[in-house]
Amino acid sequence: MEPIVCTNSPLSPGDGLTVIWFEDGIPHTRPASLVSNTHTQIAFQDEPAIAKGTWLILVAQIDGQIFRTEGHCGPLVRQSGLWTISMGQCNWTQADRRQSHRIPIELPVSASILDQTVDFQDFVGHTVDLSDSGAMMELPIQPPVNSLIRWELQIPRGRRASGLGMVTRHGEGSRVGLQFVEYMGNSRSLIADLLYDRAA
């Protein structure tokens, strides 16, 4: 399923978002806010360890929908008591979950919350259903909505798929709705192949 490209930015100045970047394959996240849609300027309360030219992924949840954009960043600039970065003109995309067919399937999953302020960090559970854009998972705890999760699925025949996702909702018991925002390696094609096999 291809994401929908937004003709206009879904965010307004002051809206919160999550910034993701990788160092040696390890994801890092920081909360930020949009300053201006011109050149996609964002602001941090504290100075982040982000070098000029780093590839950033911006993720925001608005009315239950996940929006995403990415690009190389410029230098950090101190401005009005905040640290700001500009990324140039970026196109926001939105996953059309209405066209994403979910298949009931139970797969072992391990996950961790990418937020050092949360006490529970690592946990294991299983999927309840799966699509190419997200999953419903049964976990021992329910991370807060908008939490960023690093997930890894154990797929049949000894394969593993992994990536990052954002918690969009809580279901019955300890079920958690997760929308995928980034895939590691060939994880997206592994999930697509699995869904194709199960639907056949």
Side-chain angles (χ1 to χ4, degrees), residues 34-78:
L34 183 71
V35 175
S36 171
N37 281 305
T38 304
H39 305 303
T40 315
Q41 187 180 37
I42 57 176
F44 303 86
Q45 293 288 339
D46 301 311
E47 182 180 7
I50 301 175
K52 177 183 177 181
T54 299
W55 188 261
L56 302 182
I57 301 168
L58 310 184
V59 181
Q61 183 170 186
I62 302 174
D63 297 329
Q65 296 292 324
I66 302 294
F67 296 90
R68 180 187 188 279
T69 192
E70 58 187 62
H72 291 288
C73 70
L76 275 169
V77 177
R78 185 72 167 166

Side-chain angles (χ1 to χ4, degrees), residues 99-146:
Q99 297 181 13
S100 184
H101 182 59
R102 289 184 178 266
I103 293 179
I105 185 172
E106 185 172 317
L107 298 172
V109 59
S110 59
S112 58
I113 301 174
L114 298 179
D115 182 353
Q116 299 305 314
T117 65
V118 180
D119 293 333
F120 40 82
Q121 285 295 310
D122 302 303
F123 41 90
V124 295
H126 62 83
T127 60
V128 176
D129 59 42
L130 178 69
S131 75
D132 62 353
S133 66
M136 178 66 73
M137 299 180 178
E138 185 84 40
L139 301 174
I141 51 88
Q142 288 182 315
V145 171
N146 289 333

Side-chain angles (χ1 to χ4, degrees):
M1 182 194 66
E2 293 299 321
I4 299 170
V5 178
C6 304
T7 55
N8 297 304
S9 172
L11 276 70
S12 300
D15 284 346
L17 50 85
T18 299
V19 181
I20 307 167
W21 72 99
F22 291 83
E23 293 179 5
D24 298 323
I26 300 173
H28 298 267
T29 69
R30 289 289 293 272
S33 60
L34 183 71
V35 175
S36 171
N37 281 305
T38 304
H39 305 303
T40 315
Q41 187 180 37
I42 57 176
F44 303 86
Q45 293 288 339
D46 301 311
E47 182 180 7
I50 301 175
K52 177 183 177 181
T54 299
W55 188 261
L56 302 182
I57 301 168
L58 310 184
V59 181
Q61 183 170 186
I62 302 174
D63 297 329
Q65 296 292 324
I66 302 294
F67 296 90
R68 180 187 188 279
T69 192
E70 58 187 62
H72 291 288
C73 70
L76 275 169
V77 177
R78 185 72 167 166
Q79 179 178 319
S80 302
L82 300 172
W83 293 93
T84 65
I85 284 180
S86 295
M87 295 174 57
Q89 192 63 40
C90 296
N91 291 322
W92 290 88
T93 60
Q94 171 192 359
D96 189 354
R97 293 184 295 173
R98 295 168 301 178
Q99 297 181 13
S100 184
H101 182 59
R102 289 184 178 266
I103 293 179
I105 185 172
E106 185 172 317
L107 298 172
V109 59
S110 59
S112 58
I113 301 174
L114 298 179
D115 182 353
Q116 299 305 314
T117 65
V118 180
D119 293 333
F120 40 82
Q121 285 295 310
D122 302 303
F123 41 90
V124 295
H126 62 83
T127 60
V128 176
D129 59 42
L130 178 69
S131 75
D132 62 353
S133 66
M136 178 66 73
M137 299 180 178
E138 185 84 40
L139 301 174
I141 51 88
Q142 288 182 315
V145 171
N146 289 333
S147 296
L148 198 66
I149 303 294
R150 183 169 189 171
W151 51 267
E152 181 178 89
L153 301 177
Q154 296 182 32
I155 294 178
R157 298 192 291 277
R159 297 172 298 173
R160 294 177 184 271
S162 61
L164 304 178
M166 182 168 279
V167 177
T168 58
R169 65 188 181 93
H170 294 157
E172 296 180 1
S174 58
R175 292 186 175 185
V176 173
L178 195 71
Q179 184 163 340
F180 302 150
V181 298
E182 182 71 5
Y183 300 85
M184 307 298 185
N186 66 339
S187 294
R188 186 166 196 162
S189 62
L190 287 175
I191 292 174
D193 290 346
L194 173 65
L195 294 173
Y196 179 82
D197 291 342
R198 292 302 175 100

